[in-house]
Amino acid sequence: FSHHRHCYSAVTRPHVRVTIHTMDNLSVVATVAKEQVDIGLALSPPGWREGRVVELGSANLVCIVPKDHPLAAQASVTPHDLADAPLISFSRSLPLGHLVEQVFRAAGVPQRISLEVNQSSLACALVRVGAGVAILDPFWLLDGADRQIVKLRLEPATPIAAHALLPATGT
């Protein structure tokens, strides 16, 4: 926000306070529905019925591997390529975990989940230290500055959307 010329600062808006909470998608949806926050950011919230949803963007899932992994030289991977790789994945109760499970099921490949996480940042950290490979949303990797991991296209292309969730009574 610091580069935006209409940025609100503590000087121009002294009574505005911004607090950031990190949580999984289900908690984001619940917190917005209870109107405990003014806005929530989530990936493809399932069955959102309360409040308002604004799509911020959509992109295809990616696979990330450590830079020295045998798959790192490929441009893309399929579930078949990942069949024997320890997979760092998300709970099936989360939109991303459910989507990854569908991709593997459609390919007829069983998932070998070695570690379950609830945030993309944790999945990246685990891949970085060689704990496995992960399929996740590409939004976490937009700056492309992480030299310890390699981002590969996941085939077939599988889109996921990022949304802003707003309480029903907000303006």
Side-chain angles (χ1 to χ4, degrees), residues 71-91:
L71 295 172
Q74 297 184 197
S76 65
V77 293
T78 68
H80 293 282
D81 296 323
L82 303 174
D84 295 325
L87 185 63
I88 300 162
S89 194
F90 299 80
S91 167

Side-chain angles (χ1 to χ4, degrees), residues 33-121:
K34 293 175 187 173
E35 300 187 10
Q36 295 172 331
V37 296
D38 296 316
I39 188 170
L41 301 176
L43 296 174
S44 296
W48 178 251
R49 298 289 180 264
E50 303 175 55
R52 296 168 289 149
V53 178
V54 178
E55 185 171 318
L56 302 174
S58 180
N60 292 325
L61 293 180
V62 296
C63 176
I64 59 170
V65 300
K67 67 178 181 179
D68 58 352
H69 194 278
L71 295 172
Q74 297 184 197
S76 65
V77 293
T78 68
H80 293 282
D81 296 323
L82 303 174
D84 295 325
L87 185 63
I88 300 162
S89 194
F90 299 80
S91 167
R92 294 176 185 139
S93 66
L94 298 173
L96 190 49
H98 181 69
L99 191 55
V100 171
E101 181 186 36
Q102 287 180 327
V103 169
F104 274 77
R105 186 182 304 130
V109 176
Q111 281 182 288
R112 284 190 54 217
I113 298 176
S114 61
L115 293 165
E116 191 173 283
V117 297
N118 66 359
Q119 293 186 5
S120 295
S121 58

